[in-house]
Amino acid sequence: MTLSPRLIAAAALALALFAAGWLANGWRLNARIARMETDQATALLAAQQAAKQALDRAIAAERDGQALAGRAAEAEAAASRTGREKDDAIRKLSARRPCLNANVVSVLNNELGGANTGGVPPPAGGAARPAPGAPPDSGNATDEDIAIWARYAIERYNLCRGRIDALNEFHRPAPND
């Protein structure tokens, strides 16, 4: 059986068309793959840049937090030194006269409905001394006790206010946010 030249030519043409289609489809798929790889590389680069920016912001926040914590610690140490100096001055200047009797001190020291502990709480820097002429542990608060308590309350208030200011400063949005 011999194949006719027309049949051979048709088969060759079909084979050539199939090969050309195969080759064109390969080029099309390779171009699509190249676009996908480019898009993926672009997305990866954007993610890396976003991660670097987030890391930079975290490092800046840590640095700012450390600076604020350092300033707060310095303020507390200064307040403590000043408080000790003021307590010494109050002790030198007070007359240690009874100012509030034990019953009033007991009311101030207890929550409503709470147990009656009575007595003057020890001021910062030492236990309260009884008023001159009062029996020991009388529970009376002297002018010295009240002055030291007031100084301590003012110091604690100012330290708390300073901490709140530092927190507000830390959480304040940056100018470029």
Side-chain angles (χ1 to χ4, degrees):
M1 171 157 144
T2 63
L3 295 176
S4 79
R6 278 186 155 177
L7 187 58
I8 293 174
L13 181 61
L15 187 58
L17 288 175
F18 178 77
W22 184 277
L23 187 61
N25 192 42
W27 290 336
R28 185 182 64 82
L29 289 176
N30 285 341
R32 185 173 178 194
I33 290 170
R35 276 193 313 273
M36 289 171 60
E37 287 174 344
T38 301
D39 292 347
Q40 194 174 30
T42 302
L44 180 61
L45 181 61
Q48 287 173 336
Q49 289 172 340
K52 183 181 181 324
Q53 290 172 349
L55 179 61
D56 290 345
R57 284 192 306 269
I59 289 170
E62 174 67 20
R63 183 186 60 241
D64 293 347
Q66 292 292 336
L68 290 171
R71 287 196 333 235
E74 288 172 8
E76 289 187 28
S80 179
R81 282 189 303 274
T82 302
R84 284 191 302 272
E85 292 169 2
K86 286 184 176 185
D87 287 351
D88 291 342
I90 289 169
R91 285 186 183 101
K92 289 176 187 173
L93 297 173
S94 66
R96 294 187 185 100
R97 292 183 307 259
C99 194
L100 300 174
N101 70 33
N103 293 331
V104 174
V105 171
S106 178
V107 169
L108 291 173
N109 284 336
N110 294 300
E111 295 181 25
L112 292 178
N116 183 359
T117 60
V120 178
R129 287 187 297 271
D137 299 322
S138 69
N140 293 332
T142 66
D143 58 345
E144 178 182 305
D145 297 328
I146 301 300
I148 289 174
W149 173 86
R151 194 262 335 137
Y152 183 76
I154 291 167
E155 173 188 303
R156 299 279 69 176
Y157 171 82
N158 288 332
L159 288 174
C160 183
R161 186 182 64 200
R163 288 175 182 168
I164 290 171
D165 290 345
L167 284 171
N168 287 334
E169 183 178 336
F170 181 78
H171 290 289
R172 186 174 302 128
N176 58 358
D177 284 348

